[in-house]
Amino acid sequence: EDQVTQSPEALRLQEGESSSLNCSYTVSGLRGLFWYRQDPGKGPEFLFTLYSAGEEKEKERLKATLTKKESFLHITAPKPEDSATYLCAVQGWGSSNTGKLIFGQGTTLQVKP
Amino acid sequence: EAQVTQNPRYLITVTGKKLTVTCSQNMNHEYMSWYRQDPGLGLRQIYYSMNVEVTDKGDVPEGYKVSRKEKRNFPLILESPSPNQTSLYFCASSPRVANTEAFFGQGTRLTVV
């Protein structure tokens, strides 16, 4: 069964304190791994798609990396506006014909000034 | 502006009273889906549609119906809502079925009493 586990559940950082969020996945053939950001009361907002081990993507202070078993979202010198819940999702070959995304529970990040 | 629009944003209803949550996208996307988000369970797919008149069940379809008569609209219908359908609902659309980012609506918070 396809499964996604994110850790930690919650993370508090001081502004400027870099850290990483983890997404471990089990899927029968990875079609794509997606990172989303969700602000309170809003829908998930797309950040990155990673397709194969070794791939990296960057956007401002965020960098996503992928191995065969997990993905990391690195946050460099975070600012308070980076506070949000970060969701990881996978799509496997088995579900590629349904378009279904399997989501993790998310990591809620709070960055204090 | 590219967007997925859901209505209503908030709804409180009574058990058994039929309701419809509307979803519309302006990006000419083929693929649309509905998710529900519950604490501790994350986002789970309810129904999806690959194109006009093509719909199928996701992981948690019981108690829900959908239709796709036009490409842009994908309403979610609860024929006889029950308290266990109290949840936060998201509509999403993607250019195609697989390997692509999903755009999410703002969400509909439904309470069934």
Side-chain angles (χ1 to χ4, degrees):
Chain A
E1 182 182 345
D2 297 347
Q3 192 170 330
V4 176
T5 303
Q6 292 186 246
S7 61
E9 287 186 15
L11 183 61
R12 288 185 178 181
L13 299 173
Q14 288 295 130
E15 184 172 3
E17 180 187 3
S18 301
S19 188
S20 297
L21 282 55
N22 177 263
C23 171
S24 297
Y25 64 90
T26 304
V27 65
S28 53
L30 180 69
R31 188 78 189 253
L33 185 142
F34 305 83
W35 282 98
Y36 285 85
R37 169 189 171 131
Q38 186 175 22
D39 292 300
K42 295 191 175 183
E45 177 186 347
F46 172 78
L47 292 173
F48 304 109
T49 307
L50 301 167
Y51 297 108
S52 57
E55 189 175 359
E56 299 182 352
K57 295 256 178 96
E58 285 189 68
K59 181 180 180 180
E60 296 180 354
R61 294 175 294 282
L62 301 177
K63 179 180 176 180
T65 61
L66 181 65
T67 71
K68 289 187 177 180
K69 294 184 177 181
E70 57 192 351
S71 176
F72 292 93
L73 185 65
H74 306 279
I75 303 177
T76 302
K79 297 182 178 181
E81 53 261 43
D82 294 322
S83 298
T85 296
Y86 291 86
L87 300 171
C88 174
V90 298
Q91 187 178 71
W93 283 95
S95 60
S96 64
N97 60 345
T98 69
K100 183 173 66 178
L101 296 172
I102 306 296
F103 281 88
Q105 304 272 8
T107 294
T108 299
L109 173 65
Q110 184 181 27
V111 182
K112 294 189 173 183
Chain B
E1 180 189 354
Q3 58 186 8
V4 178
T5 303
Q6 294 179 227
N7 279 297
R9 292 289 312 279
Y10 303 92
L11 179 60
I12 301 174
T13 190
V14 296
T15 299
K17 186 177 181 181
K18 181 179 178 179
L19 67 92
T20 299
V21 183
T22 64
C23 173
S24 181
Q25 50 95 1
N26 63 358
M27 296 167 280
N28 200 37
H29 285 170
E30 290 186 353
Y31 184 85
M32 297 185 75
S33 59
W34 277 101
Y35 288 84
R36 61 179 288 174
Q37 187 174 37
D38 302 289
L41 296 175
L43 282 152
R44 294 176 293 166
Q45 191 183 59
I46 303 170
Y47 265 96
Y48 65 93
S49 169
M50 295 197 189
N51 216 322
V52 177
E53 302 291 4
V54 181
T55 64
D56 209 343
K57 298 176 181 178
D59 289 331
V60 288
E62 294 77 21
Y64 305 95
K65 286 176 58 178
V66 293
S67 69
R68 187 94 180 270
K69 292 181 169 51
E70 304 168 282
K71 198 170 188 178
R72 63 184 293 127
N73 296 322
F74 189 45
L76 179 69
I77 303 157
L78 284 72
E79 294 270 1
S80 182
S82 61
N84 64 11
Q85 292 178 297
T86 293
S87 186
L88 181 57
Y89 291 87
F90 289 101
C91 178
S93 75
S94 308
R96 52 191 181 278
V97 173
N99 234 10
T100 183
E101 67 184 84
F103 293 80
F104 283 81
Q106 292 286 73
T108 296
R109 185 167 292 282
L110 172 65
T111 302
V112 183
V113 298

